[in-house]
Amino acid sequence: MANNFEYLRPTTMGEAVDMKSSHGARAQFWAGGTDMMLQWKAGITDFDYCIDLTYVPDLDQIALDGDQLRIGAMATLDDLDLQSGLHPLTEALGETARMMCTKQTRTLATIGGNLCNASPSADLSPPLAAMGAQARILGPDGERTIPLTEFFTGVRKTALADGEMLTEIVVPDVGGDVAASYNRVARTVVDIALVSSAAFIKLDSSGKITKAGVALGAVAPTVVRVNKAEDLLIGCSLKEAANGVANKAGEHAIATANAITDIRASKEYRTDMTSVLTQRAIGRCVAILEGNG
Amino acid sequence: MGVHHMPKKLKVVGKDVPVLDAREKVTGALEYGVDYAVPKMVHGKILRSTIPHGRIKSIDSSKAEALPGVLGVVTHEDSPDLDWIGVWDNYRGKVLDGIARFVGDEVAAVAATTEKIAEQALALIEVEYEVLPAVLDVRKALLDDAPQVREEGNVRDEYRVVWGDGKTGEDESDHIVELEIQFKAQNYAGIGRNACICDWNGEKVTMWTSSQTPSELQSGIHQAFGIPMSSVRVVALPSGCSFGLWWSNNFMMLTAMLAKKIRKPVKIELTSQECMAAVKRRHIEITTGRMGVSNDGQITLADFSHLMDNGAYGFKTDVYFFCCDLWGGAKNGDYRVRGVSTNLVTSGCMRAVGDITMGLAVERLADMCAEKVNIDPVDFRMKNQIKSGQQLRMQEPRQHMKGTLTEYVDKLTDVQKEGWPEMFHLSSGSTHELLRQGAEKFRFKERWKGWGKPSSVNGSKHRGIGVGTGAHCCGVEFGGNTSSVVRVNHDGSVNVFSSCGRQGQGSETTLSQVAAEELGVSLDMVNIVTGDTDAMPWSSGSSASTTMFRTGWATRAAAKDAKKQILRIAAIEYFDSDDPETLDIQDGIIRSQNPEDNRNVSLEEMMNVLCSDSLAQTTVITGRPDEVMPPTIAFARQWAAQFTEVEVDVETGEIRILEFLAGQDSGTVVNPKVLKNQVIGGAICGAGFALYEGIEFDENDGRVLNDGLLDYKLLRTGDFPSDAEVFFVESPDPVGPFGARGAGESPAAAAAPAICQAVYNAIGVWVDVPMTPEAVIRALNER
């Protein structure tokens, strides 16, 4: 049975970081608590200080800021769903959020918590990674921003150093014609992904793909980007992307995957599905950009 | 005599009344085992084995006992040297005997002032094992040189049902199809945990726990501790869904051992992991079968061999498979079942035991036969499934305490059997009307494209339709009979005392409806006690779809007896000593059955007079069954036929259930809301078994790997069509209360074959259950 802990309630980001710095590894941030509570009860995690971020203002915004999409770490999965209409990319992220857990849990679970939990099967990692999202981190030495793909360093491991907290996810360069899609295989309506893939496409004014992202979930310790698939897509028309290129991108996905066998699925199945799901994600992006989404 | 007629229009039975505890459930006021507490209660925790098989060489609890707050530790040295037997042999053994038989098996228990201290104390108990070889594979457990899990050996006697002749069947077959299928163990995975509180005060033992079988639990405590049943009081609390999990479980006995040792009330509350990995599960079952068919669509041969694992403490010899009755039209049949012990968590009867597994194998072979002769699945079932009045197949060799059931029945006198339905023949109902009406509602014939042919294809999405059928018993006598007591109070209100479970199936409501109907009072005048063995007569609890049929019968019989007594006195006091048979109670008023006779007296007035009359020989009227219930296993079955359309994504293997229609024949419907709930719940249970559910055991030590709902995938309501429809065919039963029969299990048995067949039709390949996305892709690749 888990130990007791001291509950701390900072009201500014600075205060939160100070608390974390002074208590070091014996302290943990509390966001929505939906993963952490279970881990605490099961004895997987153990801490003496719980720093509740709920009362720190301005951490839960989801907004467009120029050509950036900014998502506060304390925004909930339900907020993401509710903000679907904000932008084509929040449309994709909202759809992703709706695949996650249940409405009740989504009202508690936060985006930052989901990312900091650093599960290989986390649903938000592939679409955000495909979009080229960045993680804004605040620590005792100030602020830094790193690509989300570098934020994850292993299973349940992140690049956060002692005293640091994730404050925001920033997706840069979201103006113009963009689309994203996340696809996964799961068992029941409430499940974590057995395998997943996300795609992101941005068009230039001539209708050619100028930026592309493909990212896979649950096939490696962290989310992985399929660079060769992205390179293939850049410069293509939507028609080319849909006819043939998507298929080749799927083959690159298979080559990139480094899946394992566990009780949820086998390595072979996961690997094969990366191709199907990547093709579907690209196909969906094309359909959205062609106005058939 | 057992035949009831319906002399009047029913007023309470058949009505859609909400379950009586709905308000308490919705407001959270209803107390389940985990919610319950008693004064001066302390807390217990169980030390569990970390190895699959081992003999305890030494166990040192001194450090644990020295921990402040610890009140006592029990080990096998405290355990009485007595075997106790759980309901339907789901447990057989001592409470503790110094041998660990699976990872998670109970080894010792600690009582302490808090749960946390008890848990800390567990870590201080030092156990040294002599490690024994373990057997984790069901087939290997059969071998002579396999490690033996139990003193009695691993292998139980074969149970066999035979009719006709196998050789003749082979000769008559134009086609013979075969299969072997291994079913994973389904987890009960009930939402809600359980806890047990026991108080051992002087010679009196009181236990509060969620249980479907209060009386059998009382018997179990009596056996385990060698104390008189009169000293044992069980107060069975409602459980969350149970499906057979919470009957009489050994952790309850362990709680009693602690209570006996420390002489304080102790509560052991199980974690959800313990509930899912250390109590009970469905058997792992392996069916090998052959089925033969002649070109005219007649099944000529049904030849099945079924192996089921009992886990560590189960002791079943068979799994009550009523599929051989369902497919009783087969000309020749031979069904063999063996039970075998393994070093895996104990297995036992789970909803639709046998019929959800072996029945599914039988349905699949029947479908394969139907395809050979190109007959659609509805027609093929109508041709080969049993019809009302025909001979039943499987009860013949059943053991009764007085020999086989056949011998028992043969010895009965005609007087004893007066009014009984014909023994060993189906008394009423079948799948036929369900299939006819269901096919019409589902427009099956229009939508049927042929075997292995999708009803539509859209890209990677293939749709297919399917139909499945299921049968089960309506209670079985061999575990003990049923009884009820009905008490009519001074004010004309009624207390019913019926030992049964409240696992969400609504028996408190339906049994009250039966009593109200028979006594001619409104439902709000009836209150029922279902859990307290100090108040209730011993009665076979809520297992084997017993409650509505057999406990309902006993409740009606008790109400009839009370009514007879009331009318006899009323006739003398108020009706000029008329023949009591000419009187009746309607809406709480005693009156003549002759509509022109205006004499009447309220039940309340009659009962008051009875009480205040010093010459009266009683104060209240107490009724009990004073007639014999015929053995229901020898004539009564429940029936389900279900239709579905599924969509299979042939690229990912994902399956969605798009449409579901469930037909149910459980005789007279006592409460349509309650029965609909049972049918849909059963269908979802069967659908879960078809699609995702299955326990994964560690291949090295047999521990349950998916011991939580993260990786034990239950269907959510969102996985099942929200507009699933239920329809009833009400073939009245000649014995059941107002014509009602059992209901809980056949719906679970019918769903899996319907979904499997629909998937086959969608993609043209059979997929073994659970049909996970990966299993579907594998089957498609192997095609």
Side-chain angles (χ1 to χ4, degrees):
Chain A
M1 194 172 290
N3 287 318
N4 293 341
F5 54 78
E6 193 171 325
Y7 171 83
L8 304 174
R9 183 187 282 184
T11 53
T12 66
M13 288 186 224
E15 202 185 342
V17 168
D18 286 348
M19 285 173 175
K20 183 80 175 87
S21 302
S22 61
H23 296 300
R26 296 310 306 153
Q28 274 199 26
F29 288 121
W30 177 275
T34 53
D35 284 317
M36 199 164 123
M37 176 62 93
L38 296 174
Q39 291 164 8
W40 177 73
K41 279 187 173 171
I44 296 167
T45 185
D46 179 26
F47 43 86
D48 298 325
Y49 300 93
C50 171
I51 305 168
D52 182 2
L53 297 175
T54 312
Y55 297 88
V56 178
D58 304 328
L59 275 176
D60 61 353
Q61 301 297 308
I62 299 176
L64 282 171
D65 182 5
D67 67 349
Q68 289 186 335
L69 171 63
R70 297 177 56 185
I71 301 168
M74 287 295 286
T76 65
L77 301 180
D78 195 50
D79 292 336
L80 205 50
D81 177 11
L82 296 174
Q83 291 295 335
S84 294
L86 185 67
H87 185 269
L89 297 191
T90 54
E91 193 74 52
L93 292 171
E95 190 175 89
T96 304
R98 287 192 294 278
M99 295 178 195
M100 299 169 71
C101 49
T102 60
K103 176 84 176 174
Q104 292 92 327
T105 309
R106 288 199 294 270
T107 61
L108 290 171
T110 64
I111 292 149
N114 182 253
L115 298 174
C116 289
N117 190 46
S119 164
S121 60
D123 290 301
L124 283 175
S125 311
L128 286 170
M131 291 171 193
Q134 297 171 329
R136 280 183 70 184
I137 296 166
L138 184 67
D141 303 325
E143 198 175 80
R144 63 189 180 114
T145 299
I146 59 171
L148 188 64
T149 43
E150 289 173 25
F151 181 76
F152 304 110
T153 56
V155 177
R156 303 205 177 280
K157 290 199 181 81
T158 67
L160 288 174
D162 277 355
E164 285 190 325
M165 66 182 268
L166 175 70
T167 58
E168 194 172 63
I169 296 298
V170 179
V171 186
D173 192 21
V174 300
D177 291 329
V178 292
S181 171
Y182 172 70
N183 289 263
R184 68 175 203 172
V185 177
R187 292 161 293 187
T188 57
V189 289
V190 181
D191 197 11
I192 58 176
L194 303 183
V195 49
S196 65
S197 176
F200 163 81
I201 285 176
K202 182 180 171 77
L203 297 180
D204 66 15
S205 52
S206 71
K208 296 278 187 207
I209 295 176
T210 176
K211 263 178 102 172
V214 174
L216 308 177
V219 292
T222 66
V223 61
V224 284
R225 280 182 67 159
V226 188
N227 294 325
K228 286 186 179 168
E230 295 168 354
D231 294 344
L232 271 183
L233 285 164
I234 291 171
C236 289
S237 68
L238 289 177
K239 202 169 208 149
E240 288 163 342
N243 300 319
V245 174
N247 195 295
K248 287 199 184 97
E251 288 169 21
H252 287 304
I254 286 178
T256 305
N258 182 23
I260 56 161
T261 295
D262 62 17
I263 61 170
R264 288 171 203 152
S266 72
K267 173 190 169 101
E268 292 71 27
Y269 177 75
R270 286 192 162 109
T271 306
D272 290 348
M273 286 307 111
T274 57
S275 171
V276 174
L277 296 174
T278 298
Q279 292 182 58
R280 287 187 180 183
I282 293 169
R284 180 83 196 286
C285 289
V286 169
I288 292 167
L289 290 167
E290 285 177 339
N292 304 319
Chain B
M1 72 146 255
V3 178
H4 295 288
H5 301 287
M6 275 180 264
K8 59 182 181 181
K9 198 169 167 292
L10 300 178
K11 293 189 169 171
V12 188
V13 160
K15 298 293 179 290
D16 228 354
V17 293
V19 288
L20 298 176
D21 55 7
R23 183 178 292 272
E24 292 161 275
K25 274 185 179 154
V26 171
T27 58
L30 193 69
E31 287 190 300
Y32 299 89
V34 288
D35 303 313
Y36 207 75
V38 301
K40 299 179 189 167
M41 184 180 87
V42 299
H43 300 272
K45 278 274 174 193
I46 297 169
L47 182 69
R48 297 184 177 279
S49 173
T50 52
I51 60 170
H53 201 190
R55 184 177 286 106
I56 296 174
K57 278 173 27 188
S58 69
I59 185 160
D60 181 357
S61 58
S62 55
K63 285 181 191 153
E65 283 165 58
L67 186 72
V70 170
L71 302 166
V73 177
V74 291
T75 70
H76 60 280
E77 287 160 12
D78 301 278
S79 183
D81 190 24
L82 293 167
D83 280 5
W84 75 275
I85 299 171
V87 183
W88 298 121
D89 277 311
N90 278 204
Y91 186 94
R92 185 181 286 215
K94 298 175 180 52
V95 182
L96 296 176
D97 67 356
I99 298 176
R101 292 186 176 81
F102 66 93
V103 174
D105 194 3
E106 294 134 341
V107 167
V110 178
T113 50
T114 71
E115 205 175 350
K116 194 169 171 178
I117 294 172
E119 186 162 317
Q120 287 167 345
L122 291 184
L124 300 175
I125 301 175
E126 291 164 9
V127 188
E128 196 186 339
Y129 293 101
E130 175 197 345
V131 176
L132 301 172
V135 58
L136 307 174
D137 181 279
V138 187
R139 287 185 187 87
K140 284 182 187 157
L142 276 175
L143 304 175
D144 289 341
D145 59 351
Q148 298 298 302
V149 181
R150 311 179 53 92
E151 272 178 29
E152 305 92 332
N154 287 347
V155 186
R156 305 278 74 79
D157 292 342
E158 184 176 82
Y159 174 76
R160 192 170 184 187
V161 177
V162 185
W163 69 94
D165 172 68
K167 182 72 184 61
T168 310
E170 280 178 24
D171 294 343
E172 289 172 348
S173 301
D174 292 311
H175 311 270
I176 292 180
V177 291
E178 299 181 16
L179 69 68
E180 177 170 321
I181 184 166
Q182 174 157 351
F183 298 99
K184 287 184 178 176
Q186 192 176 23
N187 204 319
Y188 295 87
I191 304 303
R193 296 173 291 125
N194 200 0
C196 178
I197 302 172
C198 186
D199 185 24
W200 199 300
N201 193 345
E203 297 306 308
K204 180 86 186 183
V205 180
T206 310
M207 183 177 284
W208 298 263
T209 188
S210 295
S211 173
Q212 285 177 246
T213 56
S215 297
E216 288 96 331
L217 178 53
Q218 180 194 18
S219 302
I221 298 167
H222 149 71
Q223 291 168 1
F225 294 93
I227 54 174
M229 285 178 71
S230 54
S231 299
V232 180
R233 178 187 178 206
V234 168
V235 183
L237 302 165
S239 63
C241 31
S242 171
F243 312 129
L245 178 57
W246 307 121
W247 285 353
S248 45
N249 307 105
N250 199 51
F251 90 95
M252 300 167 184
M253 303 305 164
L254 209 47
T255 315
M257 251 170 74
L258 275 177
K260 184 183 181 188
K261 182 148 188 175
I262 68 165
R263 299 285 168 162
K264 279 187 170 66
V266 186
K267 180 179 191 179
I268 293 184
E269 184 173 333
L270 299 181
T271 65
S272 58
Q273 273 174 318
E274 286 177 302
C275 293
M276 287 188 72
V279 183
K280 222 168 47 157
R281 60 175 167 94
R282 193 188 289 285
H283 315 89
I284 299 169
E285 296 176 33
I286 302 168
T287 304
T288 313
R290 291 192 307 154
M291 199 177 256
V293 63
S294 54
N295 281 329
D296 61 354
Q298 168 66 47
I299 296 177
T300 42
L301 173 71
D303 179 13
F304 287 88
S305 183
H306 194 71
L307 180 63
M308 50 167 242
D309 93 307
N310 272 310
Y313 293 96
F315 207 77
K316 277 179 76 74
T317 55
D318 75 276
V319 276
Y320 288 137
F321 46 103
F322 297 92
C323 48
C324 56
D325 288 332
L326 173 62
W327 291 92
K331 285 170 83 175
N332 304 283
D334 190 345
Y335 288 73
R336 303 168 299 280
V337 178
R338 274 178 303 174
V340 63
S341 300
T342 55
N343 289 111
L344 299 170
V345 57
T346 301
S347 53
C349 308
M350 182 176 168
R351 188 180 209 172
V353 58
D355 284 315
I356 203 173
T357 44
M358 194 174 187
L360 175 56
V362 174
E363 294 258 322
R364 176 147 142 200
L365 272 180
D367 286 344
M368 290 162 75
C369 282
E371 178 167 15
K372 288 278 183 204
V373 295
N374 197 24
I375 298 179
D376 80 48
V378 172
D379 288 348
F380 194 74
R381 280 165 174 72
M382 285 191 171
K383 187 171 175 73
N384 288 291
Q385 292 184 341
I386 192 173
K387 297 174 182 66
S388 180
Q390 288 181 341
Q391 193 177 0
L392 291 165
R393 300 295 186 188
M394 82 166 297
Q395 76 294 323
E396 278 293 320
R398 282 206 169 275
Q399 289 301 308
H400 188 273
M401 276 168 158
K402 294 181 177 175
T404 67
L405 182 59
T406 320
E407 287 162 356
Y408 170 73
V409 169
D410 284 349
K411 281 181 198 153
L412 295 174
T413 65
D414 287 346
V415 174
Q416 285 172 303
K417 286 190 282 191
E418 192 203 335
W420 284 15
E422 189 179 2
M423 292 288 99
F424 311 122
H425 287 71
L426 180 62
S427 60
S428 70
S430 73
T431 53
H432 285 71
E433 190 56 19
L434 291 168
L435 287 164
R436 195 190 64 74
Q437 289 189 25
E440 202 175 293
K441 286 178 202 292
F442 194 79
R443 298 185 298 106
F444 190 87
K445 297 277 175 183
E446 285 167 58
R447 296 164 72 176
W448 176 253
K449 297 283 200 299
W451 284 103
K453 300 216 167 57
S455 46
S456 70
V457 176
N458 180 11
S460 65
K461 308 283 174 67
H462 292 220
R463 292 184 177 186
I465 58 169
V467 58
T469 39
H472 211 66
C473 58
C474 304
V476 184
E477 280 67 25
F478 313 125
N481 225 316
T482 56
S483 190
S484 270
V485 165
V486 166
R487 187 178 76 202
V488 184
N489 301 309
H490 301 155
D491 60 349
S493 68
V494 178
N495 288 107
V496 178
F497 302 88
S498 295
S499 181
C500 65
R502 288 173 65 190
Q503 67 270 27
Q505 89 286 38
S507 340
E508 69 293 320
T509 307
T510 49
L511 293 179
S512 298
Q513 286 179 268
V514 165
E517 185 71 56
E518 183 59 39
L519 278 165
V521 299
S522 58
L523 187 59
D524 59 4
M525 293 298 275
V526 179
N527 236 303
I528 187 164
V529 174
T530 59
D532 190 340
T533 60
D534 263 9
M536 308 174 303
W538 197 100
S539 182
S540 167
S542 294
S543 69
S545 297
T546 282
T547 312
M548 187 69 262
F549 191 61
R550 294 173 65 226
T551 316
W553 178 92
T555 303
R556 187 181 186 196
K560 277 166 74 176
D561 181 50
K563 184 168 153 184
K564 196 163 78 185
Q565 296 176 51
I566 290 165
L567 295 182
R568 198 170 55 222
I569 298 164
I572 297 165
E573 299 285 339
Y574 292 96
F575 293 88
D576 307 319
S577 294
D578 281 4
D579 180 357
E581 302 249 316
T582 64
L583 305 178
D584 195 12
I585 310 172
Q586 287 169 28
D587 304 320
I589 308 288
I590 304 168
R591 60 174 84 244
S592 166
Q593 287 180 34
N594 175 4
E596 279 161 27
D597 184 343
N598 287 331
R599 290 174 299 168
N600 68 75
V601 59
S602 75
L603 181 58
E604 180 176 4
E605 187 183 336
M606 210 314 271
M607 291 302 298
N608 253 317
V609 165
L610 186 71
C611 181
S612 58
D613 181 354
S614 58
L615 293 178
Q617 297 189 349
T618 184
T619 56
V620 293
I621 296 287
T622 307
R624 58 168 183 83
D626 71 344
E627 49 189 296
V628 178
M629 186 176 193
T632 55
I633 188 71
F635 61 90
R637 300 288 182 269
Q638 52 174 301
W639 309 102
Q642 299 176 357
F643 298 77
T644 188
E645 181 170 37
V646 302
E647 183 178 271
V648 186
D649 187 326
V650 296
E651 289 178 358
T652 62
E654 291 164 295
I655 298 171
R656 281 202 308 142
I657 304 168
L658 301 175
E659 192 179 335
F660 210 92
L661 172 68
Q664 184 69 21
D665 186 350
S666 288
T668 303
V669 180
V670 173
N671 186 320
K673 266 197 178 82
V674 165
L675 187 56
K676 184 178 179 189
N677 185 37
Q678 278 277 46
V679 170
I680 290 286
I684 292 177
C685 172
F689 185 67
L691 295 180
Y692 303 110
E693 291 186 55
I695 296 178
E696 300 292 338
F697 296 97
D698 185 290
E699 59 183 28
N700 297 312
D701 65 12
R703 74 183 60 218
V704 174
L705 295 173
N706 48 350
D707 58 0
L709 296 180
L710 175 63
D711 281 312
Y712 187 85
K713 298 314 291 183
L714 287 178
L715 289 199
R716 305 282 182 138
T717 46
D719 292 300
F720 202 77
S722 57
D723 57 355
E725 273 186 63
V726 176
F727 71 95
F728 302 126
V729 170
E730 301 187 62
S731 315
D733 189 87
V735 174
F738 303 100
R741 275 182 277 119
E745 304 189 76
S746 55
I755 293 167
C756 289
Q757 189 197 89
V759 168
Y760 174 71
N761 289 328
I763 64 174
V765 52
W766 287 103
V767 186
D768 286 355
V769 299
M771 299 186 288
T772 60
E774 179 160 2
V776 171
I777 294 299
R778 202 185 308 121
L780 282 167
N781 289 341
E782 284 168 4
R783 177 170 46 179

